[in-house]
Amino acid sequence: MKSDNQKYKIKSLASNVGDFTVSLHYDRRLYKQDIAGSKAHVSMLAYKNIIEKEDAETILKALDDILYEIESDQFPWNSSLEDIHMNIESRLFDKVGTVAGKLHTARSRNDQVVLDMRMYLMQASKLTVNELKKFCLVILDLAEKNIDQIIPGYTHMQRAQPVLFSHHMMAYFEMFYRDIKRFQSVYESSDVMPLGSGALAGVTYPIDREYVADILGFSKISSNSMDSVSDRDFIIEYISSASISIMHISRLSEEIILWNSEEFSMIKLPLDYTTGSSMMPQKRNPDFAELSRGKSGRIYGSLISILTIMKSLPLTYNRDMQEDKEGFFDTYDTLIAVLSVFGDMLKGLKIDSSNMETPIEKGMLLATDIADYLVAKGLTFRDSYSIVSELSDFVVSSNKELKDITLSEFKEFSEFFSEDVKNITPSSSIESRNITGGTSTKMVSKAIANARKKLSELDDNEL
Ligand code: ARG
């Protein structure tokens, strides 16, 4: 009996290298793309009279049967056939005999594998944009629901100035919106149809590459066959965009973990998004935020991995490139899972405003506002800065709060203080920052409205 490899005239490998070269366990995820790509290719071959129409019909029908077999779990996977491409082609031989040998006319596995990956990434980028969009909507709802909530804003992890919680959340909207733009650009980079590049130099048949691109939904075809079979930039772009996005997630996770701690007590996470400790019955741990923060490790790992795989590879295709897939699939799965779980967790987040007043009132979060007040009275900013700096030392060292300081105490620091200094409050501080990008309620509400508009326009353009 013929071995599977002999069936379509490929030389067998030494028995001990077999497993080493196998990628089937992860590249079988490309089955849909592989079959769609083969169908488009074979249709074009018939359209261009490179093969007979009847043969094309036979192959097309058998490819549909194979798709059905895979989706209904009846496909006889065979890892001795290395990868998804050879499994499908071999199954085609089982079904239609020697006619199957016509499918690979004017095609190489080198352009075939990159076609599959490009199609997969086009879809993955769209789905990632969708998940990011849903995530952004959760952020916007959270910002809107808590529009009046003032929190301490920090620099150097020191209380700095009061800000609206919604302003803080909108900072994250900006980050995730930039991520959306990056994944749209990954789509653009992936949207290049490589078939026709052959193994590396192009093919000798009068094929119609645009015809294939149209069927498969590509808007461009590749311009250089050598680049085409050896380019993995689009995968690197996906993983690097994912790295930036998971970095944003991990910053938000960190804040949520801190805010949820007893020391901050600023928020309460939904109970079903916290876990107990096996030993300490009182604990509710923010595991989902922690895990999301930790997932950045594996995505960065995949980025370093693909960059290292590609570094120094001579043109054109090298088998090293088979190693591009696991890191990408893992990155994609991880990012989608994190965005969806994290989004659901954020939906249930509650602000604990009872504890918020102390950190805002204590300390000198209004120091800049007081300095600005003195500037309005005619002092230079540097003079007023040094006056308020002394005032601040006094308030802190006498363990007082700013609102307890009397006018005569104020006047000891500067004659320019008068009764209206008492009008400086956390909310006056917030509302006075009424410039684009500032934290006033008006500006933040406007930012939320703009953000909703930008997200809805994404629908219209459909990437
Ligand atoms: N499994 C291979 C990969 O993922 C497919 C391409 C193989 N090409 C070749 N010339 N051996 O890269």
Side-chain angles (χ1 to χ4, degrees):
M1 203 180 124
K2 281 185 173 180
S3 82
D4 286 309
N5 278 339
Q6 283 163 344
K7 199 159 50 188
Y8 59 122
K9 319 237 174 350
I10 287 179
K11 289 197 186 72
S12 292
L13 293 172
S15 57
N16 59 343
V17 295
D19 284 353
F20 191 77
T21 58
V22 174
S23 55
L24 181 63
H25 49 294
Y26 52 84
D27 67 17
R28 67 165 73 173
R29 279 177 77 152
L30 299 169
Y31 75 90
K32 258 192 201 151
Q33 289 71 20
D34 201 69
I35 290 175
S38 288
K39 286 179 71 178
H41 181 65
V42 92
S43 304
M44 181 277 294
L45 292 178
Y47 165 70
K48 293 295 290 177
N49 296 318
I50 298 168
I51 65 170
E52 294 75 34
K53 298 239 168 357
E54 301 75 58
D55 289 345
E57 291 302 326
T58 310
I59 294 173
L60 286 171
K61 189 186 163 306
L63 285 170
D64 281 336
D65 291 348
I66 291 173
L67 181 65
Y68 175 79
E69 280 184 349
I70 296 177
E71 299 202 318
S72 58
D73 256 344
Q74 295 172 41
F75 187 86
W77 295 107
N78 180 353
S79 60
S80 72
L81 288 169
E82 276 191 15
D83 60 22
I84 181 69
H85 325 293
M86 287 160 83
N87 265 264
I88 290 176
E89 196 179 342
S90 161
R91 190 70 185 138
L92 195 61
F93 275 94
D94 292 343
K95 289 188 174 294
V96 302
T98 49
V99 170
K102 301 197 174 186
L103 169 63
H104 216 50
T105 315
R107 191 176 70 171
S108 151
R109 259 198 300 162
N110 296 354
D111 54 2
Q112 183 181 1
V113 68
V114 78
L115 173 80
D116 293 3
M117 284 303 275
R118 284 183 173 280
M119 287 169 69
Y120 198 98
L121 264 98
M122 281 157 79
Q123 200 193 348
S125 322
K126 274 196 182 186
L127 288 174
T128 310
V129 166
N130 271 346
E131 279 307 318
L132 278 164
K133 194 183 148 193
K134 281 195 246 161
F135 192 78
C136 282
L137 285 170
V138 175
I139 291 181
L140 293 183
D141 288 345
L142 203 56
E144 206 158 63
K145 205 162 71 193
N146 299 284
I147 188 73
D148 296 324
Q149 181 63 56
I150 301 177
I151 61 167
Y154 292 79
T155 64
H156 309 266
M157 227 21 235
Q158 309 289 310
R159 288 175 200 158
Q161 289 174 344
V163 290
L164 288 181
F165 170 79
S166 44
H167 193 48
H168 196 121
M169 279 299 126
M170 288 306 288
Y172 282 99
F173 169 82
E174 294 295 327
M175 298 181 217
F176 291 110
Y177 187 72
R178 288 196 294 272
D179 293 342
I180 287 179
K181 295 274 138 194
R182 269 184 279 273
F183 282 105
Q184 285 181 325
S185 141
V186 176
Y187 179 93
E188 295 295 316
S189 306
S190 308
D191 176 17
V192 182
M193 208 291 295
L195 282 193
S197 305
L200 77 159
V203 297
T204 53
Y205 301 86
I207 58 169
D208 186 337
R209 301 187 63 206
E210 276 82 7
Y211 185 90
V212 176
D214 274 356
I215 297 180
L216 297 175
F218 284 93
S219 70
K220 309 178 274 296
I221 63 170
S222 58
S223 328
N224 178 298
S225 61
M226 296 182 79
D227 176 50
S228 184
V229 294
S230 65
D231 171 22
R232 296 295 182 274
D233 291 1
F234 61 105
I235 302 178
I236 299 177
E237 285 171 38
Y238 184 96
I239 304 178
S240 72
S241 303
S243 298
I244 297 176
S245 199
I246 199 76
M247 176 268 286
H248 294 151
I249 289 276
S250 89
R251 295 182 74 175
L252 182 54
S253 302
E254 174 74 8
E255 302 216 86
I256 284 182
I257 293 162
L258 284 175
W259 291 348
N260 188 60
S261 69
E262 256 175 281
E263 282 70 14
F264 277 78
S265 291
M266 270 171 61
I267 57 162
K268 289 227 180 320
L269 285 175
L271 268 191
D272 50 349
Y273 283 88
T274 60
T275 62
S277 146
S278 62
M279 189 184 202
M280 300 163 283
Q282 84 285 12
K283 301 252 332 258
R284 296 306 307 176
N285 299 325
D287 291 39
F288 291 99
E290 292 172 283
L291 277 168
S292 302
R293 185 177 56 183
K295 297 281 184 198
S296 51
R298 57 199 297 160
I299 295 187
Y300 295 174
S302 296
L303 179 61
I304 295 303
S305 163
I306 183 82
L307 287 169
T308 313
I309 291 161
M310 295 307 293
K311 175 193 171 293
S312 311
L313 276 191
L315 293 180
T316 53
Y317 178 84
N318 297 274
R319 191 63 179 269
D320 315 42
M321 291 173 182
Q322 178 166 299
E323 293 290 314
D324 61 358
K325 291 174 197 64
E326 278 172 296
F328 161 70
F329 287 136
D330 186 69
T331 297
Y332 173 50
D333 294 342
T334 303
L335 185 61
I336 296 293
V338 167
L339 286 170
S340 109
V341 174
F342 209 92
D344 285 344
M345 179 181 74
L346 282 187
K347 278 187 203 154
L349 181 150
K350 297 255 173 318
I351 296 189
D352 192 352
S353 43
S354 57
N355 294 315
M356 214 73 86
E357 229 156 83
T358 324
I360 295 164
E361 299 291 343
K362 273 200 175 249
M364 283 290 288
L365 272 81
L366 300 175
T368 323
D369 298 86
I370 300 173
D372 290 340
Y373 164 94
L374 290 176
V375 169
K377 301 274 172 182
L379 288 178
T380 68
F381 184 75
R382 277 294 159 226
D383 286 341
S384 76
Y385 175 95
S386 84
I387 291 166
V388 181
S389 170
E390 281 170 27
L391 171 71
S392 175
D393 289 346
F394 168 73
V395 173
V396 173
S397 64
S398 54
N399 216 5
K400 294 189 179 201
E401 288 182 17
L402 191 66
K403 64 177 191 289
D404 305 326
I405 305 296
T406 62
L407 183 57
S408 58
E409 281 172 321
F410 268 115
K411 282 200 177 289
E412 276 171 38
F413 293 90
S414 168
E415 269 312 306
F416 284 86
F417 282 118
S418 58
E419 198 53 52
D420 58 354
V421 69
K422 290 292 189 182
N423 296 338
I424 300 175
T425 63
S427 85
S428 79
S429 161
I430 299 268
E431 300 312 341
S432 62
R433 287 169 167 78
N434 196 28
I435 39 113
T436 304
T439 191
S440 75
T441 317
K442 198 171 140 205
M443 283 303 166
V444 176
S445 305
K446 206 165 145 188
I448 295 174
N450 279 343
R452 286 203 189 281
K453 187 160 169 279
K454 286 206 283 192
L455 287 185
S456 68
E457 280 162 8
L458 288 178
D459 279 341
D460 300 339
N461 297 339
E462 245 258 325
L463 279 159

